[in-house]
Amino acid sequence: MRKFGKVITVIILSTLLGIPLTILSLWYQNPPGCNRFCSREPCPLSACIGGESLTAGFPFPILHDDNAGSPVHGWGRIGVEDIQNLNLGAFLLNVFIYGVIIVMLFAITKSIFKSVKRSIGLG
């Protein structure tokens, strides 16, 4: 039963650390550098071309800019009003992926410390 408790603890901690990393991944926006909406060519470098959907999140897009639901000044930007377009499945998948990465990094670090400890004769 003790092993089961450790597994549950690892799952909870990796999830709690995966959620903030997923939220931080919202800074990754595709197409990059899109700060406003552009309806006709030629568009400035920092504008999204009409029909392109601005998305945010990595590795899977979590939010999509909805020009129809956003105020005019929010077109071509991910804002608070776009939370209604939250893709919950992609959010949970990103949390899972970041959680697995955290667990892997912890396991690798732990094994390196064990190896170093053994090699210098402390354990």
Side-chain angles (χ1 to χ4, degrees):
M1 193 66 168
R2 182 179 163 156
K3 194 84 157 166
F4 181 71
K6 279 186 177 182
V7 169
I8 295 298
T9 303
V10 166
I11 290 172
I12 290 171
L13 286 176
S14 66
T15 302
L16 289 176
L17 291 172
I19 290 172
L21 290 174
T22 300
I23 292 170
L24 284 174
S25 80
L26 292 176
W27 276 330
Y28 176 80
Q29 296 184 358
N30 197 16
C34 181
N35 294 324
R36 61 182 181 274
F37 183 71
C38 174
S39 59
R40 57 192 144 136
E41 302 268 343
C43 291
L45 291 175
S46 63
C48 292
I49 299 170
E52 269 187 303
S53 178
L54 179 66
T55 61
F58 184 82
F60 300 104
I62 300 169
L63 289 177
H64 300 273
D65 183 36
D66 181 21
N67 291 334
S70 296
V72 175
H73 70 278
W75 288 352
R77 294 183 182 162
I78 297 290
V80 177
E81 66 277 354
D82 295 315
I83 297 244
Q84 65 191 6
N85 298 325
L86 177 72
N87 184 342
L88 188 59
F91 180 83
L92 294 175
L93 194 57
N94 286 352
V95 168
F96 174 75
I97 289 171
Y98 287 123
V100 167
I101 291 170
I102 289 167
V103 169
M104 287 173 45
L105 288 174
F106 178 74
I108 290 169
T109 305
K110 187 176 175 182
S111 104
I112 289 171
F113 278 122
K114 275 186 176 180
S115 176
V116 168
K117 189 177 172 181
R118 234 180 294 138
S119 70
I120 61 173
L122 295 177

